Amino acid sequence: MEVIILFSVFLVLLLVGMPIAFALGLASLSYLLLEGISLTIVPQRMYAGIDTFVLLCIPGFVLAGNLMNVGNITDHIVRFSNALLGHIRGGLGLANVAGSMIFGGISGTAVADSASIGSVMIPGMARSGYDKPFAAAVTAASSTVGPIIPPSVPMIIAGSLSGISVGRMFLAGAVPGLLMGLAMMVTVYILAVRRGYPKEQRVPFLQLLREAKTAFWALLMTVIILYGIIGGFFTPTEASIVACLYALVVGMYVYKGLSWKKLPAILSDTVLTSSALLLMVGLANLFGWILTSEQIPQMIAALILSISDNPLIVLLILNLILLFVGAFMETIAALIILFPALVGVATGVGVDPVHFAVIAVLNLMIGLTTPPVGVCLFVVAGIGKLPMLAVAKAIVPFLLCNLAVLLLVTYVPAISLWLPNLLMGE
């Protein structure tokens, strides 16, 4: 009975628009009061949820993303992408996807990507003759590539929950992320040709070289982060701090968009964003502890395995569960609540845990662009001053494209495992 009340309170609070962290906390509180459990368990479980060294990556990469935005690093990424791809039919849409792949591969968060790239690309694409809902849909869909391509905040969370190597997960996401980005580029091009979207004039080769030279310092950031982690020079947590220092120096002394006066506002925004994320992690851990104490994960596992123990069928069921949950729940909370249980089911039928981690994150990223609670949809709709329904309709081709990539990644493990096995051994 208490578990039914737990989920009922949680769902009602979500439906009335309560932030996910408070919905988790109040639902958990209702359960504890009904069960007569001491409320001292609340700070204990919250602290246990965030007392993980690797979670220090989160404020680090959030700060790096904020420094990039204010330091004009994002602008140079977009300009280089436009110069490289703008002459192709639908080139600004292609540049939007390429910019998201590069930026997201540094910030590690989809919402930051959709906000920063969207503020530049959505108005620019609309002025150039693209339908504004299409521009918003491209921005939202492509922003989900960022947390697949390393570094990835959701993969950091998954690693902290399960003990899976974050470095291996970062590498495992690289090829699926590139595949996802390329598939979206093909979708953009097909739609652009069918709808007659414009193309820009080809940029002279010397100008392209100048843009590449200007963007070099922005692009080098990704190389430093990945090479440092792969080469064993620093951990993912240390990589986030290196990214911050690099973004600070490049933004202040190379691109000169940063100044000391802007730093307090940047740090304040980083503290607010990181605090909200870590509060959610702590409260979701409390919620997850309740589920574990009620043996809900074991029930889910038994239910799935009672249907089939065939890995192909089990993976299909897990995908459906994650897609459904991702459409209603924020990524971090969904991972904390579901991932430990579902990874146990997956490994029980012979699925590599790193492979399943990529599948789980990919599912939940798709959820960020799926109504009714697709956070990235709300972000781009706000930037474009568009009704939510218009953006939801425009994003359907990209959802279908991403679902096709999800199936491919699910049933061809080598797509995820080839790179980490090559560079870090099996």
Side-chain angles (χ1 to χ4, degrees), residues 207-294:
Q207 184 179 340
L208 178 61
L209 283 181
R210 282 195 296 271
E211 293 291 352
K213 182 180 177 182
T214 306
F216 170 78
W217 296 103
L219 301 174
L220 183 61
M221 192 172 180
T222 305
V223 176
I224 290 173
I225 292 170
L226 287 182
Y227 181 73
I229 294 172
I230 296 168
F233 295 103
F234 36 72
T235 66
T237 302
E238 292 162 349
S240 69
I241 306 306
V242 171
C244 292
L245 293 173
Y246 186 89
L248 179 65
V249 172
V250 171
M252 191 170 287
Y253 299 109
V254 178
Y255 296 139
K256 300 181 179 177
L258 273 177
S259 65
W260 293 109
K261 290 181 179 179
K262 294 179 180 178
L263 285 182
I266 294 170
L267 292 172
S268 175
D269 183 58
T270 301
V271 168
L272 289 173
T273 303
S274 302
S275 299
L277 283 171
L278 290 172
L279 176 64
M280 187 189 307
V281 170
L283 290 169
N285 188 66
L286 172 64
F287 193 90
W289 174 82
I290 293 172
L291 297 184
T292 302
S293 66
E294 290 287 345

Side-chain angles (χ1 to χ4, degrees), residues 48-127:
I50 61 176
D51 184 26
T52 306
F53 179 70
V54 74
L55 290 182
L56 287 174
C57 288
I58 293 176
F61 285 123
V62 169
L63 177 57
N66 288 338
L67 290 169
M68 287 173 62
N69 285 334
V70 179
N72 293 333
I73 296 176
T74 306
D75 292 342
H76 288 290
I77 291 172
V78 171
R79 283 173 51 186
F80 172 66
S81 300
N82 286 344
L84 188 65
L85 300 167
H87 64 280
I88 304 171
R89 178 74 62 187
L92 286 182
L94 298 175
N96 194 328
V97 178
S100 290
M101 291 170 71
I102 297 168
F103 176 81
I106 299 171
S107 73
T109 58
V111 176
D113 183 352
S114 57
S116 57
I117 300 288
S119 62
V120 176
M121 292 301 296
I122 293 174
M125 290 176 70
R127 285 194 300 269

Side-chain angles (χ1 to χ4, degrees), residues 52 54 154-166 169 339:
T52 306
V54 74
M155 287 187 183
I156 293 166
I157 297 293
S160 71
L161 291 169
S162 60
I164 302 171
S165 165
V166 174
M169 282 194 291
F339 186 75

Side-chain angles (χ1 to χ4, degrees), residues 189-385:
Y189 180 75
I190 291 171
L191 292 174
V193 170
R194 286 183 178 177
R195 300 175 184 178
Y197 288 141
K199 59 181 179 179
E200 307 291 314
Q201 287 188 336
R202 184 184 290 272
V203 172
F205 183 68
L206 288 178
Q207 184 179 340
L208 178 61
L209 283 181
R210 282 195 296 271
E211 293 291 352
K213 182 180 177 182
T214 306
F216 170 78
W217 296 103
L219 301 174
L220 183 61
M221 192 172 180
T222 305
V223 176
I224 290 173
I225 292 170
L226 287 182
Y227 181 73
I229 294 172
I230 296 168
F233 295 103
F234 36 72
T235 66
T237 302
E238 292 162 349
S240 69
I241 306 306
V242 171
C244 292
L245 293 173
Y246 186 89
L248 179 65
V249 172
V250 171
M252 191 170 287
Y253 299 109
V254 178
Y255 296 139
K256 300 181 179 177
L258 273 177
S259 65
W260 293 109
K261 290 181 179 179
K262 294 179 180 178
L263 285 182
I266 294 170
L267 292 172
S268 175
D269 183 58
T270 301
V271 168
L272 289 173
T273 303
S274 302
S275 299
L277 283 171
L278 290 172
L279 176 64
M280 187 189 307
V281 170
L283 290 169
N285 188 66
L286 172 64
F287 193 90
W289 174 82
I290 293 172
L291 297 184
T292 302
S293 66
E294 290 287 345
Q295 298 190 324
I296 302 298
Q298 291 88 333
M299 293 179 189
I300 293 172
L303 178 62
I304 294 172
L305 294 175
S306 70
I307 297 171
S308 174
D309 59 0
N310 184 318
L312 301 180
I313 303 298
V314 169
L315 282 173
L316 178 61
I317 295 170
L318 294 177
N319 274 326
L320 292 174
I321 292 172
L322 288 164
L323 283 171
F324 177 78
V325 171
F328 292 92
M329 190 181 292
E330 200 278 338
T331 302
I332 305 300
L335 274 174
I336 293 172
I337 293 168
L338 285 177
F339 186 75
L342 298 187
V343 74
V345 176
T347 53
V349 293
V351 178
D352 188 286
V354 174
H355 177 213
F356 179 70
V358 174
I359 294 171
V361 172
L362 186 50
N363 270 291
L364 295 173
M365 287 303 102
I366 293 172
L368 289 175
T369 58
T370 306
V373 193
V375 179
C376 291
L377 292 184
F378 285 101
V379 171
V380 298
I383 292 171
K385 297 179 174 62

